[in-house]
Amino acid sequence: MCGIVGFTGEKQAAPILLDGLSKLEYRGYDSAGIAVRDGDAPAEVVKAKGRLKVLAEMLDDGKALPGTCGLGHTRWATHGEPSKANAHPHVSGNCTGSGSGAVESDVVGVHNGIIENYQEIREKLLRRGYTFYSDTDTESIIKLVDYYYKKYGIGPVDALTRTMVRVRGSYALAVMFKDYPGEIYVARKDSPLIIGAGEGETFLASDVPAILKYTRSVYYIGNLEVARLTPGEVHFFDLNGDEIQHDTVEIAWDSEAAEKGGFEHFMMKEIYEQPRAVQDTLNSVVKEGRIDLTSVGLTDEEIRDISQITIVACGSAYHVGVAAQYVIEELARIPVRVELASEFRYRKPLLDPKGLVIVISQSGETADSLAALREAKQRGVPVLAIVNVVGSSIAREADKVFYTLAGPEIAVATTKAYSTQLIACDLLAIQFGRVRGLLEEERYLALIAELQTIPNKISRVLKDKERIQWFAAKFANAQDIFFIGRGLDYAISLEGSLKMKEISYVHSEAYAAGELKHGTISLIEDGTLVIGVLTQDHLYEKTVSNMVEVKSRGAYLMGLTSYGHYEMEDTANFTVYIPKTEEYFAPSLAVVPLQLMGYYISVARGLDVDKPRNLAKSVTVE
Ligand code: M6R
């Protein structure tokens, strides 16, 4: 978690740093800080507890802090409470109070990641006379760089590589050395970091949206590498301090994609971007009505040989896996197991080397998913990643990558990335089914043709948003909401429930409808909202029975079903319809009203939709 930015060039750094941090606030937002150098003068550090706007106001949007080289940080607390003292940047030397103001330190830096052995480093440095001002792991690494820098009288690159050998954990670290004005040094291991190349100026950031406004030309720094940034130039070094080469990559996203574009919240903008995102993802592999996985790198021979599939992911991406399990098993008859990455990595799973592990991740940086990927690779099982962020760690380490084309997703609650992941899984299921001889040509073409109608059908669902807004307002004060469904409808319920709780803070649970009677039904009271999802015809009546059971115990019912099932109105108090589609693809439509429900309840409760409390978008720590 946490977002870091940096700039060196001829322009004023502070406004650029604050602007970059505003695009990274989704990564953490409990405190923020920047350090700026004006020529040879020492760095001036300013930090504030709370949202970035507090810091921006203190600095008159950056105008109050002159200088052309600097670093910035927005924090999601891991070690140490959210406070000004624990906010970054941290400094190597003595500072007053909580580390703000002009600092005579030799090293000033920001960090994203976790230093696992920070206690041991801290104790060592305390014995060597260093004073600590925060409870963070970061302060230890900054002071360790300073320690090696002085003890061995070496340059910044060597001080960093020595530090990298000594610390355990993950880091995207950016530091400025007092003796090297106009220069920024970065080091990376397992945490995201990109470097932007401009005309006479250089940027760094945890994620692309922070620098899109200034450049689309980026370098991806490798794991365990160091870089030296000067205005308009970047030099890379390996752990031995030897210089290495990297080429720039052009980013296709445009800067508009990272702005709200007239919507009140990123989440609503991203909900509305779903038809386009799904269409782009479809277009990336559907050629003349057929699926072509050449860009993913999967050959027909490899597809025929797959003995089993293990899908590994976290959060909403895991929910995509739950849906994909049903679709792949039915269309391609390959056994599929879905696992939470945080469980998989410690479970010593039984994996067949002829199997395929699919890792699903929007950010491509989720720590548990990345660790699961490494575990699978270590056991000799090929890994296919379904990823949104180009050049992310998961994309780089996987054997094959299916890129979803959702564009930058800024709201913490995922919507369009989830929808593109679903489509990617549907495409794989159809192609696997065809290649393995389970789908006749006619059925194969019909499924692809139907999948291509999904973007339009999502747009039709969005037209119903006022009704959902009205209904959500009625339940803005709900204590508990239950989502029930069977089969694929259970998979959708999981996602609907997560959307609800993460942004509206209303307790919600998703239950396989048939499971309610085994305990949970005792929670149903007069007026409890139960949302039944019924898009699968063969399970429709079963779920209706479960809805009737809770209704007779006082539940208030919302039914979510396809047009045509108008008898739902006899059972449910409120019904939302989605266009008819092939049942395998219904999750892509049914999820939309549930995203809107979560959104509108959050808005009605006056909450910060895009930045819900305690959360960060990229969970880059365990
Ligand atoms: O970047 P990833 O797709 O790997 O992230 C996985 C989860 O952290 C993510 O889906 C999370 O559950 C979202 N906040 C849900 O809206």
Side-chain angles (χ1 to χ4, degrees), residues 35 43 45 71 89-92 103 105-110 142 174-178:
V45 177
L71 302 170
H90 290 286
V91 300
S92 61
V103 284
S105 286
D106 288 297
V107 185
V108 179
V110 294
I142 302 296
V175 288
M176 296 188 292
F177 290 78
K178 197 175 88 194

Side-chain angles (χ1 to χ4, degrees), residues 314-317 361-363 366 412-414 421 498-499 502 617 619:
C314 298
S316 295
S361 175
Q362 186 283 129
S363 62
T366 300
V412 166
T414 180
Q421 290 162 353
L498 181 59
K499 286 284 89 76
E502 73 178 324
K617 186 153 185 75
V619 185

Side-chain angles (χ1 to χ4, degrees), residues 116-413:
E116 287 163 8
N117 56 341
Y118 80 101
Q119 280 290 13
E120 150 199 337
I121 293 168
R122 187 179 170 114
E123 275 154 31
K124 168 189 158 130
L125 293 171
L126 280 168
R127 287 197 297 276
R128 302 243 178 336
Y130 281 86
T131 307
F132 281 77
Y133 299 90
S134 76
D135 302 320
T136 64
D137 51 338
T138 302
E139 198 178 354
S140 300
I141 195 171
I142 302 296
K143 288 186 156 84
L144 189 63
V145 173
D146 180 72
Y147 172 72
Y148 286 136
Y149 179 64
K150 290 185 182 134
K151 177 173 176 190
Y152 297 108
I154 48 183
V157 172
D158 291 329
L160 280 168
T161 54
R162 271 185 186 269
T163 304
M164 290 158 82
V165 172
R166 182 71 173 77
V167 299
R168 288 196 306 276
S170 58
Y171 45 83
L173 177 71
V175 288
M176 296 188 292
F177 290 78
K178 197 175 88 194
D179 304 336
Y180 294 81
E183 300 189 8
I184 298 173
Y185 290 81
V186 299
R188 171 179 180 268
K189 175 172 175 275
D190 292 345
S191 290
L193 183 64
I194 51 146
I195 297 168
E199 271 299 301
E201 54 192 23
T202 308
F203 306 80
L204 71 94
S206 300
D207 197 359
V208 171
I211 59 169
L212 265 184
K213 202 168 165 180
Y214 311 102
T215 179
R216 289 212 220 149
S217 196
V218 305
Y219 293 100
Y220 292 105
I221 175 172
N223 238 2
L224 290 172
E225 289 178 4
V226 171
R228 170 172 165 259
L229 282 57
T230 55
E233 270 191 45
V234 189
H235 294 270
F236 295 92
F237 306 88
D238 64 16
L239 215 44
N240 297 320
D242 294 331
E243 189 155 355
I244 48 175
Q245 295 301 320
H246 282 302
D247 292 328
T248 53
V249 174
E250 288 301 305
I251 300 290
W253 297 351
D254 65 32
S255 57
E256 292 285 293
E259 307 289 340
K260 280 192 200 146
F263 285 88
E264 202 179 331
H265 300 102
F266 277 111
M267 183 176 173
M268 188 51 107
K269 175 182 176 243
E270 289 162 6
I271 287 174
Y272 265 81
E273 283 172 348
Q274 290 183 108
R276 201 255 327 127
V278 167
Q279 187 69 64
D280 288 352
T281 305
L282 281 167
N283 290 348
S284 72
V285 295
V286 178
K287 312 280 175 223
E288 293 169 10
R290 309 185 69 82
I291 298 167
D292 176 357
L293 295 179
T294 313
S295 58
V296 178
L298 264 181
T299 65
D300 287 0
E301 202 184 340
E302 286 167 329
I303 294 171
R304 271 190 286 270
D305 278 353
I306 298 170
S307 62
Q308 55 167 236
I309 292 176
T310 308
I311 302 179
V312 193
C314 298
S316 295
Y318 168 78
H319 298 157
V320 170
V322 177
Q325 179 181 26
Y326 292 101
V327 183
I328 298 174
E329 285 200 337
E330 287 201 23
L331 291 180
R333 305 311 291 163
I334 305 172
V336 182
R337 185 173 173 143
V338 195
E339 295 218 41
L340 292 164
S342 52
E343 293 293 314
F344 175 91
R345 62 183 291 194
Y346 294 116
R347 198 178 60 77
K348 300 193 177 60
L350 295 172
L351 296 173
D352 181 353
K354 292 193 83 179
L356 177 70
V357 168
I358 302 181
V359 176
I360 308 177
S361 175
Q362 186 283 129
S363 62
E365 300 294 347
T366 300
D368 285 324
S369 304
L370 182 59
L373 176 154
R374 289 177 179 162
E375 175 73 24
K377 282 189 74 174
Q378 209 184 352
R379 285 149 168 269
V381 185
V383 177
L384 163 67
I386 298 177
V387 180
N388 195 43
V389 176
V390 176
S392 56
S393 301
I394 291 176
R396 282 191 283 172
E397 294 191 29
D399 300 297
K400 300 171 195 301
V401 185
F402 189 148
Y403 279 112
T404 51
L405 300 183
E409 192 177 64
I410 309 290
V412 166

